[in-house]
Amino acid sequence: MSEKINTVLANFDTQAQQLLSLYLEELDFVNLEKSFEDINEAFDFVLKSRPEILVVDISQKTDFVLNLISKMLTTHKTCKILAVSTDYSSNTVIKAMRAGVRDLISAPVIKEDFKSAIQKLKGESPVKKEKKSRVITVFSNKGGIGKTSIAVNLALELANITKEKVALIDLNLQMGDITTFLDISPSFDISYPIKNLSKMNSEFLLNTLEKYKDTNLYVLADPPSLEKAKEITSEQITGLMRVLRETFSYIIIDISPNFEKKTIATLDNSDLILLVTMVNLPAIRNCQRCLEIFQKLGYDENKTQVVLNRFMENDEIKVDDVESVLNKEVYWKVPNNYFAIMSAINKGIPVSIMNPDSNITQSYQGLAVKLADNVLKQNFAVKTDRTSEFNFMSLFE
Ligand SMILES: Nc1ncnc2c1ncn2[C@@H]1O[C@H](COP(=O)(O)OP(=O)(O)OP(=O)(O)O)[C@@H](O)[C@H]1O
Ligand SMILES: [Mg+2]
């Protein structure tokens, strides 16, 4: 009995309550504590009784209910929320995730969807949850393609949406510009934790990385000089990533457009590579070469996902063409919006803060939602020990 997971239903009419109760009865690990039609009564009960799972309908007065959820989670942090809604638009999904909802299913509820969502939440039980951390590197072997824009905005959105700690690391060691994009002057740069790797713990890291405003985003800047950049080795980068994984749920890396040893060490240590390209022939050709190189490096096909930046519906080359040339599906498209992105960069304010309603902000948010979901389920990291004899030139043969 003590193994059962206490669950509460909130904001459902009598008929829905009866139906969901029947579905829950089929799950032998669930104990349905109580069902409520009144949302305020439900939240009062949840705060007292502290069930592990709360299933709540957010179709009506969505903002109000999400606000209650968000407040409740500040006190009962481990409560896992399954939301049900007639509105399944990306806007609602994003708002729900920001409020702390773990999963959202559409109403009217389909029995199997509901049961598998509850099953999934059970798997994420805080008691059993092992800390998972995901390293996502935003890469291209071409400069000026939009890596930094994507890395910065994706990291910020992941921090806002998942409420987890996110690190944004500038491994563009010679010409990093994350600090310019965010208009920050961190007290420390990457050389500092690298020199102190053996002393690193969570507290040290959280004090070393620059917390961005009132968010869960922590930034590690590039070194201030070429000399300092040269001193950093690929082994140190691997070590840094190991300690970052212990503290941050997501580590987003912006990196130089090359295949130097340090870049390859970073890519080896990544769970996911977002390979950024644009819809023009030279960029697609480069992207194709990158995919070939990744294959030679032994990466699983799913470890790399293609992101089309500056996408326009009326581009002469169509997405289908890109996909057939690359023999790979395009994972995400970021629209072309020069005005929004340039005014954000020039002011040092992320575009999602400056222009929250723009198509480009929505695209970055959508990418974050997709990754937050996918990345939790998958682990693509290839732990490859590249020896010093590894012949890098063979990658280009
Ligand atoms: N979605 C977009 N729509 C329009 N313009 C964009 C978009 N993304 C990036 N840009 C433009 O491309 C320029 C380069 O972007 P960004 O600095 O993010 O690229 P990068 O790949 O990091 O470049 P580098 O290789 O120099 O580090 C930006 O200054 C901006 O003008
Ligand atoms: Mg850049």
Side-chain angles (χ1 to χ4, degrees), residues 11 70 73 93 127 135 138 157-158 161 200 205 208 314 316:
N11 213 17
S70 174
L73 285 173
V93 176
V127 190
V135 175
V138 184
E157 289 307 326
L158 274 172
I161 288 169
M200 275 297 152
L205 268 180
T208 305
N314 56 356
E316 211 175 318

Side-chain angles (χ1 to χ4, degrees), residues 142-149 172 181 257 309-310 334-338 341-342 345 360:
K142 239 175 127 54
I145 207 133
K147 295 180 297 294
T148 307
S149 309
N172 212 315
F181 273 55
N309 193 31
R310 308 194 68 166
V334 179
N336 187 58
N337 191 337
Y338 186 76
I341 205 112
M342 274 323 289
I345 294 173
I360 194 156

